[in-house]
Amino acid sequence: MNKIALISGASAGIGYAIAELLANNNFDLIITGRRKERLEILKSKLEKTTNSKVICLCFDIREKQEVFNAIETLPQEFKKIDVLVNNAGLASGLCLIQDGDIDDWETMIDTNIKGLLYLTRAVSPLMIENKKGHIVNIGSIAGKEVYPNGNVYCATKHAVDALSKAMRIDMLPYGIKVSQVAPGLVETEFSIVRFHGDKERADNVYKNLMPLRPDDIADAVLYVVTRPEHVCINDMLITPTAQASSTNVIRNK
Ligand code: NDP
Ligand code: 8X3
């Protein structure tokens, strides 16, 4: 029997890659995001090419009521969620604190912290009821250290780091695992979103180096969620070989 994984932010990038890999490894999926059409295309692709059943939930993770309503609409058998991947997130802007755009700050805080909390609050009681579960939070190297102009994004990912540790303590009595996977530079739509659609600026982030691919992170998530019952991977920090820290990156000349 397939396990069930809910992946937030599966319409692009890392979440999309996780969905594909888990579907190919005997998971049924609940995939979420705001872009319904992309989710529907992914669902039909996965249902054609794998034996996975897929449900799309289209909601804005910043909207508390939308999150709770979406989980409520799940068919009973899909409420037995084995794995929750809290992946939906973004950076908006890259700016000194004194010049920061407060709307950007609120978008990041509402998505990366509050959205992750809403979804966890909606799903974790179901896991407790079913006496099983695994929460995987997609953190970041930005949750381990800060870098110039990264201020609020780094703060939101430090919050994910802290919440991952705190959730592991709270879930301990129920045997529910909590893991964090914290990537460095991964080439996705992340930088296009961060720079508000400026593709040239986004391309520069990955220029002259071999960044991580979304599949590299999916591979780590698959590893994390397929360990034996008694093994919990607490935390994985993964960078490209060309990156030693947020600010130490080697680029080809
Ligand atoms: P992408 O921009 O490619 O994908 C982001 C995903 O999050 C999309 O599916 C998007 O769906 C979803 N999302 C964003 N905002 C919302 C929202 N308000 N409601 C619902 N879904 C939302 O970025 P990545 O794949 O790179 O990012 C995934 C995660 O990985 C993020 O948490 C990011 O912080 C983290 N990360 C990324 C790194 C990188 O270098 N790329 C490195 C370290 C961590 P939609 O727009 O359809 O709603
Ligand atoms: C995304 C990686 O270095 O742009 O979390 O913050 S970084």
Side-chain angles (χ1 to χ4, degrees):
M1 211 179 87
N2 282 356
K3 288 190 166 188
I4 297 171
L6 188 159
I7 303 155
S8 70
S11 55
I14 294 170
Y16 186 103
I18 295 169
E20 278 199 303
L21 193 61
L22 293 189
N24 277 292
N25 284 274
N26 305 316
F27 281 85
D28 290 331
L29 300 182
I30 303 156
I31 53 175
T32 88
R34 289 165 299 181
R35 287 170 289 182
K36 189 164 188 263
E37 199 191 346
R38 284 201 186 197
L39 294 175
E40 294 291 350
I41 291 170
L42 178 59
K43 171 184 160 79
S44 80
K45 177 181 170 188
L46 295 180
E47 287 187 336
K48 268 189 207 120
T49 56
T50 73
N51 72 355
S52 174
K53 290 196 215 80
V54 182
I55 289 191
C56 301
L57 292 182
C58 186
F59 60 81
D60 186 329
I61 205 162
R62 295 171 295 179
E63 299 296 331
K64 183 169 50 186
Q65 213 45 55
E66 284 187 31
V67 176
F68 283 89
N69 290 347
I71 298 303
E72 195 48 44
T73 63
L74 284 172
Q76 211 49 40
E77 69 273 20
F78 267 89
K79 285 190 174 157
K80 296 189 170 151
I81 296 166
D82 295 280
V83 173
L84 165 63
V85 185
N86 277 318
N87 164 76
L90 81 177
S92 198
L94 183 71
C95 204
L96 293 169
I97 200 82
Q98 62 272 28
D99 301 328
D101 179 323
I102 290 176
D103 289 338
D104 280 346
W105 293 357
E106 285 175 345
T107 302
M108 291 187 277
I109 292 165
D110 289 351
T111 310
N112 301 355
I113 306 178
K114 291 167 71 179
L116 179 145
L117 284 170
Y118 298 154
L119 193 55
T120 304
R121 180 64 183 84
V123 171
S124 55
L126 302 175
M127 290 180 163
I128 291 171
E129 200 178 306
N130 295 323
K131 299 184 177 62
K132 60 173 183 168
H134 192 163
I135 299 171
V136 182
N137 294 328
I138 304 300
S140 170
I141 192 170
K144 306 288 183 185
E145 52 179 280
V146 293
Y147 53 84
N149 300 305
N151 41 62
V152 175
Y153 177 68
C154 294
T156 66
K157 288 299 179 175
H158 274 70
V160 174
D161 191 62
L163 285 168
S164 301
K165 292 174 190 152
M167 287 179 193
R168 193 157 44 248
I169 295 168
D170 293 349
M171 292 295 122
L172 184 62
Y174 307 103
I176 293 167
K177 301 185 196 184
V178 179
S179 305
Q180 175 174 240
V181 174
L185 288 166
V186 189
E187 189 165 10
T188 62
E189 294 172 12
F190 177 86
S191 292
I192 298 174
V193 172
R194 167 170 255 175
F195 299 126
H196 306 297
D198 184 339
K199 185 147 182 342
E200 199 180 325
R201 201 169 166 204
D203 285 346
N204 278 334
V205 174
Y206 312 106
K207 207 169 178 177
N208 298 328
L209 69 91
M210 174 66 87
L212 294 170
R213 304 290 176 207
D215 286 349
D216 299 317
I217 303 308
D219 193 34
V221 170
L222 178 65
Y223 177 80
V224 164
V225 301
T226 53
R227 290 313 84 213
E229 193 69 36
H230 66 288
V231 179
C232 178
I233 307 289
N234 285 214
D235 202 0
M236 265 191 184
L237 174 61
I238 308 168
T239 63
T241 307
Q243 180 178 32
S245 73
S246 289
T247 48
N248 287 279
V249 175
I250 291 285
R251 293 179 197 270
N252 304 321
K253 295 277 174 281

PDB file of all heavy atoms in Angstrom, residues 3 5 18 21-22 25 27 82-85 133-137 177 179 181 218-229 231-233 236:
ATOM      1  N   LYS A   3       2.195   4.971   0.752  1.00  0.00           N
ATOM      2  CA  LYS A   3       2.094   5.974   1.814  1.00  0.00           C
ATOM      3  C   LYS A   3       1.550   7.260   1.199  1.00  0.00           C
ATOM      4  O   LYS A   3       1.529   7.409  -0.030  1.00  0.00           O
ATOM      5  CB  LYS A   3       3.466   6.209   2.431  1.00  0.00           C
ATOM      6  CG  LYS A   3       3.936   5.038   3.278  1.00  0.00           C
ATOM      7  CD  LYS A   3       5.170   5.410   4.055  1.00  0.00           C
ATOM      8  CE  LYS A   3       5.422   4.372   5.134  1.00  0.00           C
ATOM      9  NZ  LYS A   3       6.506   4.780   6.037  1.00  0.00           N
ATOM     10  N   ALA A   5       1.924  11.435   0.989  1.00  0.00           N
ATOM     11  CA  ALA A   5       2.751  12.615   1.290  1.00  0.00           C
ATOM     12  C   ALA A   5       2.034  13.879   0.830  1.00  0.00           C
ATOM     13  O   ALA A   5       1.505  13.921  -0.288  1.00  0.00           O
ATOM     14  CB  ALA A   5       4.104  12.508   0.590  1.00  0.00           C
ATOM     15  N   ILE A  18      10.320  16.987  -5.633  1.00  0.00           N
ATOM     16  CA  ILE A  18       9.998  16.052  -4.538  1.00  0.00           C
ATOM     17  C   ILE A  18       8.751  15.249  -4.910  1.00  0.00           C
ATOM     18  O   ILE A  18       8.698  14.027  -4.717  1.00  0.00           O
ATOM     19  CB  ILE A  18       9.786  16.806  -3.200  1.00  0.00           C
ATOM     20  CG1 ILE A  18      11.086  17.488  -2.745  1.00  0.00           C
ATOM     21  CG2 ILE A  18       9.279  15.859  -2.107  1.00  0.00           C
ATOM     22  CD1 ILE A  18      10.913  18.462  -1.579  1.00  0.00           C
ATOM     23  N   LEU A  21       9.640  12.552  -7.460  1.00  0.00           N
ATOM     24  CA  LEU A  21      10.433  11.441  -6.922  1.00  0.00           C
ATOM     25  C   LEU A  21       9.607  10.570  -5.963  1.00  0.00           C
ATOM     26  O   LEU A  21       9.696   9.337  -6.000  1.00  0.00           O
ATOM     27  CB  LEU A  21      11.695  11.980  -6.229  1.00  0.00           C
ATOM     28  CG  LEU A  21      12.731  10.926  -5.911  1.00  0.00           C
ATOM     29  CD1 LEU A  21      13.255  10.229  -7.166  1.00  0.00           C
ATOM     30  CD2 LEU A  21      13.923  11.523  -5.142  1.00  0.00           C
ATOM     31  N   LEU A  22       8.815  11.209  -5.117  1.00  0.00           N
ATOM     32  CA  LEU A  22       8.000  10.406  -4.189  1.00  0.00           C
ATOM     33  C   LEU A  22       6.944   9.591  -4.946  1.00  0.00           C
ATOM     34  O   LEU A  22       6.677   8.437  -4.605  1.00  0.00           O
ATOM     35  CB  LEU A  22       7.351  11.290  -3.121  1.00  0.00           C
ATOM     36  CG  LEU A  22       8.298  11.961  -2.112  1.00  0.00           C
ATOM     37  CD1 LEU A  22       7.505  12.613  -0.981  1.00  0.00           C
ATOM     38  CD2 LEU A  22       9.319  10.988  -1.512  1.00  0.00           C
ATOM     39  N   ASN A  25       8.250   6.519  -6.050  1.00  0.00           N
ATOM     40  CA  ASN A  25       8.694   5.646  -4.968  1.00  0.00           C
ATOM     41  C   ASN A  25       7.537   5.279  -4.042  1.00  0.00           C
ATOM     42  O   ASN A  25       7.683   5.288  -2.813  1.00  0.00           O
ATOM     43  CB  ASN A  25       9.856   6.283  -4.213  1.00  0.00           C
ATOM     44  CG  ASN A  25      11.155   6.174  -4.985  1.00  0.00           C
ATOM     45  OD1 ASN A  25      11.860   5.182  -4.893  1.00  0.00           O
ATOM     46  ND2 ASN A  25      11.439   7.192  -5.786  1.00  0.00           N
ATOM     47  N   PHE A  27       4.542   6.604  -3.219  1.00  0.00           N
ATOM     48  CA  PHE A  27       3.752   7.530  -2.400  1.00  0.00           C
ATOM     49  C   PHE A  27       2.558   8.018  -3.212  1.00  0.00           C
ATOM     50  O   PHE A  27       2.719   8.358  -4.393  1.00  0.00           O
ATOM     51  CB  PHE A  27       4.580   8.755  -1.992  1.00  0.00           C
ATOM     52  CG  PHE A  27       5.524   8.511  -0.843  1.00  0.00           C
ATOM     53  CD1 PHE A  27       6.789   7.972  -1.055  1.00  0.00           C
ATOM     54  CD2 PHE A  27       5.143   8.833   0.457  1.00  0.00           C
ATOM     55  CE1 PHE A  27       7.665   7.751   0.011  1.00  0.00           C
ATOM     56  CE2 PHE A  27       6.014   8.612   1.518  1.00  0.00           C
ATOM     57  CZ  PHE A  27       7.272   8.072   1.299  1.00  0.00           C
ATOM     58  N   ASP A  82       1.148  10.475   5.864  1.00  0.00           N
ATOM     59  CA  ASP A  82       2.367   9.913   6.465  1.00  0.00           C
ATOM     60  C   ASP A  82       3.473  10.954   6.508  1.00  0.00           C
ATOM     61  O   ASP A  82       4.270  10.977   7.450  1.00  0.00           O
ATOM     62  CB  ASP A  82       2.854   8.715   5.632  1.00  0.00           C
ATOM     63  CG  ASP A  82       1.857   7.567   5.654  1.00  0.00           C
ATOM     64  OD1 ASP A  82       1.857   6.835   6.656  1.00  0.00           O
ATOM     65  OD2 ASP A  82       1.065   7.424   4.705  1.00  0.00           O
ATOM     66  N   VAL A  83       3.554  11.752   5.448  1.00  0.00           N
ATOM     67  CA  VAL A  83       4.675  12.698   5.326  1.00  0.00           C
ATOM     68  C   VAL A  83       4.137  14.072   4.937  1.00  0.00           C
ATOM     69  O   VAL A  83       3.377  14.196   3.968  1.00  0.00           O
ATOM     70  CB  VAL A  83       5.677  12.211   4.240  1.00  0.00           C
ATOM     71  CG1 VAL A  83       6.740  13.272   3.976  1.00  0.00           C
ATOM     72  CG2 VAL A  83       6.330  10.894   4.652  1.00  0.00           C
ATOM     73  N   LEU A  84       4.509  15.082   5.698  1.00  0.00           N
ATOM     74  CA  LEU A  84       4.196  16.476   5.342  1.00  0.00           C
ATOM     75  C   LEU A  84       5.510  17.161   4.985  1.00  0.00           C
ATOM     76  O   LEU A  84       6.414  17.243   5.828  1.00  0.00           O
ATOM     77  CB  LEU A  84       3.557  17.201   6.540  1.00  0.00           C
ATOM     78  CG  LEU A  84       3.501  18.738   6.445  1.00  0.00           C
ATOM     79  CD1 LEU A  84       2.640  19.207   5.264  1.00  0.00           C
ATOM     80  CD2 LEU A  84       2.965  19.337   7.751  1.00  0.00           C
ATOM     81  N   VAL A  85       5.627  17.606   3.745  1.00  0.00           N
ATOM     82  CA  VAL A  85       6.824  18.365   3.360  1.00  0.00           C
ATOM     83  C   VAL A  85       6.441  19.840   3.308  1.00  0.00           C
ATOM     84  O   VAL A  85       5.709  20.284   2.412  1.00  0.00           O
ATOM     85  CB  VAL A  85       7.403  17.904   1.998  1.00  0.00           C
ATOM     86  CG1 VAL A  85       8.699  18.656   1.722  1.00  0.00           C
ATOM     87  CG2 VAL A  85       7.651  16.394   1.977  1.00  0.00           C
ATOM     88  N   GLY A 133       3.664   9.547  11.480  1.00  0.00           N
ATOM     89  CA  GLY A 133       3.864  10.733  10.656  1.00  0.00           C
ATOM     90  C   GLY A 133       5.295  11.207  10.650  1.00  0.00           C
ATOM     91  O   GLY A 133       6.118  10.804  11.494  1.00  0.00           O
ATOM     92  N   HIS A 134       5.571  12.052   9.666  1.00  0.00           N
ATOM     93  CA  HIS A 134       6.921  12.599   9.507  1.00  0.00           C
ATOM     94  C   HIS A 134       6.767  13.987   8.891  1.00  0.00           C
ATOM     95  O   HIS A 134       6.158  14.120   7.820  1.00  0.00           O
ATOM     96  CB  HIS A 134       7.745  11.670   8.601  1.00  0.00           C
ATOM     97  CG  HIS A 134       9.204  11.957   8.599  1.00  0.00           C
ATOM     98  ND1 HIS A 134      10.146  11.060   8.139  1.00  0.00           N
ATOM     99  CD2 HIS A 134       9.917  13.050   8.997  1.00  0.00           C
ATOM    100  CE1 HIS A 134      11.355  11.575   8.268  1.00  0.00           C
ATOM    101  NE2 HIS A 134      11.243  12.790   8.765  1.00  0.00           N
ATOM    102  N   ILE A 135       7.282  14.981   9.556  1.00  0.00           N
ATOM    103  CA  ILE A 135       7.236  16.354   9.033  1.00  0.00           C
ATOM    104  C   ILE A 135       8.638  16.708   8.554  1.00  0.00           C
ATOM    105  O   ILE A 135       9.608  16.575   9.311  1.00  0.00           O
ATOM    106  CB  ILE A 135       6.770  17.344  10.124  1.00  0.00           C
ATOM    107  CG1 ILE A 135       5.356  16.966  10.593  1.00  0.00           C
ATOM    108  CG2 ILE A 135       6.810  18.784   9.604  1.00  0.00           C
ATOM    109  CD1 ILE A 135       4.873  17.736  11.825  1.00  0.00           C
ATOM    110  N   VAL A 136       8.726  17.140   7.300  1.00  0.00           N
ATOM    111  CA  VAL A 136      10.022  17.547   6.744  1.00  0.00           C
ATOM    112  C   VAL A 136       9.925  19.023   6.378  1.00  0.00           C
ATOM    113  O   VAL A 136       9.132  19.403   5.495  1.00  0.00           O
ATOM    114  CB  VAL A 136      10.394  16.712   5.497  1.00  0.00           C
ATOM    115  CG1 VAL A 136      11.766  17.129   4.972  1.00  0.00           C
ATOM    116  CG2 VAL A 136      10.376  15.216   5.813  1.00  0.00           C
ATOM    117  N   ASN A 137      10.682  19.841   7.050  1.00  0.00           N
ATOM    118  CA  ASN A 137      10.682  21.275   6.761  1.00  0.00           C
ATOM    119  C   ASN A 137      11.841  21.614   5.830  1.00  0.00           C
ATOM    120  O   ASN A 137      12.983  21.220   6.092  1.00  0.00           O
ATOM    121  CB  ASN A 137      10.820  22.078   8.059  1.00  0.00           C
ATOM    122  CG  ASN A 137       9.608  21.916   8.960  1.00  0.00           C
ATOM    123  OD1 ASN A 137       8.489  21.751   8.464  1.00  0.00           O
ATOM    124  ND2 ASN A 137       9.819  21.955  10.263  1.00  0.00           N
ATOM    125  N   LYS A 177       8.193  11.870  13.489  1.00  0.00           N
ATOM    126  CA  LYS A 177       9.530  12.395  13.211  1.00  0.00           C
ATOM    127  C   LYS A 177       9.443  13.821  12.659  1.00  0.00           C
ATOM    128  O   LYS A 177       8.501  14.152  11.933  1.00  0.00           O
ATOM    129  CB  LYS A 177      10.239  11.538  12.158  1.00  0.00           C
ATOM    130  CG  LYS A 177      10.421  10.069  12.509  1.00  0.00           C
ATOM    131  CD  LYS A 177      11.242   9.389  11.410  1.00  0.00           C
ATOM    132  CE  LYS A 177      11.147   7.884  11.458  1.00  0.00           C
ATOM    133  NZ  LYS A 177      12.003   7.217  10.467  1.00  0.00           N
ATOM    134  N   SER A 179      12.103  16.482  10.599  1.00  0.00           N
ATOM    135  CA  SER A 179      13.418  16.650   9.977  1.00  0.00           C
ATOM    136  C   SER A 179      13.472  18.001   9.280  1.00  0.00           C
ATOM    137  O   SER A 179      12.438  18.526   8.860  1.00  0.00           O
ATOM    138  CB  SER A 179      13.652  15.573   8.915  1.00  0.00           C
ATOM    139  OG  SER A 179      13.480  14.280   9.446  1.00  0.00           O
ATOM    140  N   VAL A 181      15.546  19.792   5.991  1.00  0.00           N
ATOM    141  CA  VAL A 181      16.511  19.737   4.890  1.00  0.00           C
ATOM    142  C   VAL A 181      16.782  21.187   4.506  1.00  0.00           C
ATOM    143  O   VAL A 181      15.854  21.941   4.175  1.00  0.00           O
ATOM    144  CB  VAL A 181      15.963  18.921   3.696  1.00  0.00           C
ATOM    145  CG1 VAL A 181      16.909  19.007   2.509  1.00  0.00           C
ATOM    146  CG2 VAL A 181      15.753  17.455   4.109  1.00  0.00           C
ATOM    147  N   ALA A 218      15.349  16.716  -3.758  1.00  0.00           N
ATOM    148  CA  ALA A 218      14.343  15.637  -3.722  1.00  0.00           C
ATOM    149  C   ALA A 218      14.985  14.323  -3.273  1.00  0.00           C
ATOM    150  O   ALA A 218      14.418  13.576  -2.474  1.00  0.00           O
ATOM    151  CB  ALA A 218      13.703  15.487  -5.099  1.00  0.00           C
ATOM    152  N   ASP A 219      16.176  14.075  -3.779  1.00  0.00           N
ATOM    153  CA  ASP A 219      16.922  12.871  -3.433  1.00  0.00           C
ATOM    154  C   ASP A 219      17.157  12.804  -1.906  1.00  0.00           C
ATOM    155  O   ASP A 219      16.979  11.753  -1.276  1.00  0.00           O
ATOM    156  CB  ASP A 219      18.266  13.001  -4.180  1.00  0.00           C
ATOM    157  CG  ASP A 219      19.051  11.727  -4.195  1.00  0.00           C
ATOM    158  OD1 ASP A 219      18.436  10.670  -4.254  1.00  0.00           O
ATOM    159  OD2 ASP A 219      20.301  11.820  -4.130  1.00  0.00           O
ATOM    160  N   ALA A 220      17.524  13.933  -1.328  1.00  0.00           N
ATOM    161  CA  ALA A 220      17.757  13.993   0.125  1.00  0.00           C
ATOM    162  C   ALA A 220      16.450  13.766   0.884  1.00  0.00           C
ATOM    163  O   ALA A 220      16.420  13.039   1.895  1.00  0.00           O
ATOM    164  CB  ALA A 220      18.361  15.346   0.499  1.00  0.00           C
ATOM    165  N   VAL A 221      15.375  14.352   0.391  1.00  0.00           N
ATOM    166  CA  VAL A 221      14.079  14.178   1.077  1.00  0.00           C
ATOM    167  C   VAL A 221      13.648  12.718   1.011  1.00  0.00           C
ATOM    168  O   VAL A 221      13.183  12.150   2.014  1.00  0.00           O
ATOM    169  CB  VAL A 221      13.010  15.129   0.473  1.00  0.00           C
ATOM    170  CG1 VAL A 221      11.616  14.789   0.994  1.00  0.00           C
ATOM    171  CG2 VAL A 221      13.363  16.587   0.774  1.00  0.00           C
ATOM    172  N   LEU A 222      13.844  12.095  -0.143  1.00  0.00           N
ATOM    173  CA  LEU A 222      13.486  10.670  -0.250  1.00  0.00           C
ATOM    174  C   LEU A 222      14.286   9.851   0.764  1.00  0.00           C
ATOM    175  O   LEU A 222      13.733   8.982   1.457  1.00  0.00           O
ATOM    176  CB  LEU A 222      13.731  10.147  -1.675  1.00  0.00           C
ATOM    177  CG  LEU A 222      13.421   8.661  -1.873  1.00  0.00           C
ATOM    178  CD1 LEU A 222      11.922   8.373  -1.690  1.00  0.00           C
ATOM    179  CD2 LEU A 222      13.877   8.171  -3.251  1.00  0.00           C
ATOM    180  N   TYR A 223      15.571  10.153   0.875  1.00  0.00           N
ATOM    181  CA  TYR A 223      16.414   9.441   1.850  1.00  0.00           C
ATOM    182  C   TYR A 223      15.861   9.626   3.272  1.00  0.00           C
ATOM    183  O   TYR A 223      15.676   8.663   4.021  1.00  0.00           O
ATOM    184  CB  TYR A 223      17.860   9.962   1.757  1.00  0.00           C
ATOM    185  CG  TYR A 223      18.790   9.341   2.772  1.00  0.00           C
ATOM    186  CD1 TYR A 223      19.334   8.078   2.561  1.00  0.00           C
ATOM    187  CD2 TYR A 223      19.102  10.002   3.965  1.00  0.00           C
ATOM    188  CE1 TYR A 223      20.168   7.491   3.506  1.00  0.00           C
ATOM    189  CE2 TYR A 223      19.939   9.425   4.910  1.00  0.00           C
ATOM    190  CZ  TYR A 223      20.467   8.168   4.678  1.00  0.00           C
ATOM    191  OH  TYR A 223      21.288   7.592   5.617  1.00  0.00           O
ATOM    192  N   VAL A 224      15.562  10.880   3.595  1.00  0.00           N
ATOM    193  CA  VAL A 224      15.092  11.216   4.949  1.00  0.00           C
ATOM    194  C   VAL A 224      13.799  10.458   5.286  1.00  0.00           C
ATOM    195  O   VAL A 224      13.631   9.963   6.401  1.00  0.00           O
ATOM    196  CB  VAL A 224      14.894  12.758   5.053  1.00  0.00           C
ATOM    197  CG1 VAL A 224      14.049  13.128   6.257  1.00  0.00           C
ATOM    198  CG2 VAL A 224      16.247  13.464   5.114  1.00  0.00           C
ATOM    199  N   VAL A 225      12.891  10.358   4.317  1.00  0.00           N
ATOM    200  CA  VAL A 225      11.578   9.773   4.628  1.00  0.00           C
ATOM    201  C   VAL A 225      11.521   8.255   4.443  1.00  0.00           C
ATOM    202  O   VAL A 225      10.475   7.652   4.660  1.00  0.00           O
ATOM    203  CB  VAL A 225      10.427  10.443   3.825  1.00  0.00           C
ATOM    204  CG1 VAL A 225      10.373  11.932   4.130  1.00  0.00           C
ATOM    205  CG2 VAL A 225      10.530  10.185   2.331  1.00  0.00           C
ATOM    206  N   THR A 226      12.649   7.668   4.054  1.00  0.00           N
ATOM    207  CA  THR A 226      12.643   6.210   3.871  1.00  0.00           C
ATOM    208  C   THR A 226      13.615   5.514   4.832  1.00  0.00           C
ATOM    209  O   THR A 226      14.008   4.364   4.591  1.00  0.00           O
ATOM    210  CB  THR A 226      12.978   5.829   2.405  1.00  0.00           C
ATOM    211  OG1 THR A 226      14.196   6.480   2.031  1.00  0.00           O
ATOM    212  CG2 THR A 226      11.875   6.238   1.452  1.00  0.00           C
ATOM    213  N   ARG A 227      14.029   6.218   5.901  1.00  0.00           N
ATOM    214  CA  ARG A 227      14.867   5.550   6.915  1.00  0.00           C
ATOM    215  C   ARG A 227      13.991   4.596   7.727  1.00  0.00           C
ATOM    216  O   ARG A 227      12.767   4.771   7.779  1.00  0.00           O
ATOM    217  CB  ARG A 227      15.495   6.603   7.866  1.00  0.00           C
ATOM    218  CG  ARG A 227      16.583   7.517   7.280  1.00  0.00           C
ATOM    219  CD  ARG A 227      17.639   6.801   6.492  1.00  0.00           C
ATOM    220  NE  ARG A 227      17.224   6.564   5.108  1.00  0.00           N
ATOM    221  CZ  ARG A 227      17.555   5.507   4.357  1.00  0.00           C
ATOM    222  NH1 ARG A 227      18.315   4.562   4.848  1.00  0.00           N
ATOM    223  NH2 ARG A 227      17.129   5.367   3.119  1.00  0.00           N
ATOM    224  N   PRO A 228      14.629   3.625   8.386  1.00  0.00           N
ATOM    225  CA  PRO A 228      13.844   2.712   9.228  1.00  0.00           C
ATOM    226  C   PRO A 228      13.111   3.480  10.335  1.00  0.00           C
ATOM    227  O   PRO A 228      13.497   4.600  10.688  1.00  0.00           O
ATOM    228  CB  PRO A 228      14.909   1.786   9.836  1.00  0.00           C
ATOM    229  CG  PRO A 228      16.119   1.940   8.972  1.00  0.00           C
ATOM    230  CD  PRO A 228      16.061   3.298   8.360  1.00  0.00           C
ATOM    231  N   GLU A 229      12.062   2.837  10.835  1.00  0.00           N
ATOM    232  CA  GLU A 229      11.188   3.406  11.872  1.00  0.00           C
ATOM    233  C   GLU A 229      11.953   4.094  13.019  1.00  0.00           C
ATOM    234  O   GLU A 229      11.570   5.157  13.498  1.00  0.00           O
ATOM    235  CB  GLU A 229      10.361   2.228  12.436  1.00  0.00           C
ATOM    236  CG  GLU A 229       9.196   2.599  13.297  1.00  0.00           C
ATOM    237  CD  GLU A 229       8.072   3.273  12.525  1.00  0.00           C
ATOM    238  OE1 GLU A 229       7.829   2.885  11.353  1.00  0.00           O
ATOM    239  OE2 GLU A 229       7.472   4.191  13.090  1.00  0.00           O
ATOM    240  N   VAL A 231      14.899   5.466  13.059  1.00  0.00           N
ATOM    241  CA  VAL A 231      15.930   6.453  12.670  1.00  0.00           C
ATOM    242  C   VAL A 231      15.269   7.758  12.244  1.00  0.00           C
ATOM    243  O   VAL A 231      14.412   7.771  11.357  1.00  0.00           O
ATOM    244  CB  VAL A 231      16.790   5.924  11.490  1.00  0.00           C
ATOM    245  CG1 VAL A 231      17.836   6.964  11.086  1.00  0.00           C
ATOM    246  CG2 VAL A 231      17.455   4.605  11.851  1.00  0.00           C
ATOM    247  N   CYS A 232      15.677   8.866  12.879  1.00  0.00           N
ATOM    248  CA  CYS A 232      15.187  10.186  12.467  1.00  0.00           C
ATOM    249  C   CYS A 232      16.375  11.075  12.079  1.00  0.00           C
ATOM    250  O   CYS A 232      17.217  11.394  12.921  1.00  0.00           O
ATOM    251  CB  CYS A 232      14.397  10.851  13.595  1.00  0.00           C
ATOM    252  SG  CYS A 232      13.834  12.505  13.157  1.00  0.00           S
ATOM    253  N   ILE A 233      16.437  11.448  10.819  1.00  0.00           N
ATOM    254  CA  ILE A 233      17.448  12.425  10.393  1.00  0.00           C
ATOM    255  C   ILE A 233      16.958  13.782  10.883  1.00  0.00           C
ATOM    256  O   ILE A 233      15.902  14.261  10.449  1.00  0.00           O
ATOM    257  CB  ILE A 233      17.589  12.449   8.844  1.00  0.00           C
ATOM    258  CG1 ILE A 233      17.840  11.059   8.271  1.00  0.00           C
ATOM    259  CG2 ILE A 233      18.670  13.453   8.425  1.00  0.00           C
ATOM    260  CD1 ILE A 233      19.176  10.449   8.529  1.00  0.00           C
ATOM    261  N   MET A 236      19.735  18.274   7.686  1.00  0.00           N
ATOM    262  CA  MET A 236      20.695  18.093   6.582  1.00  0.00           C
ATOM    263  C   MET A 236      20.955  19.440   5.949  1.00  0.00           C
ATOM    264  O   MET A 236      20.007  20.074   5.452  1.00  0.00           O
ATOM    265  CB  MET A 236      20.072  17.219   5.497  1.00  0.00           C
ATOM    266  CG  MET A 236      20.367  15.789   5.561  1.00  0.00           C
ATOM    267  SD  MET A 236      19.766  15.110   3.977  1.00  0.00           S
ATOM    268  CE  MET A 236      20.078  13.432   4.267  1.00  0.00           C
TER     269      MET A 236
END
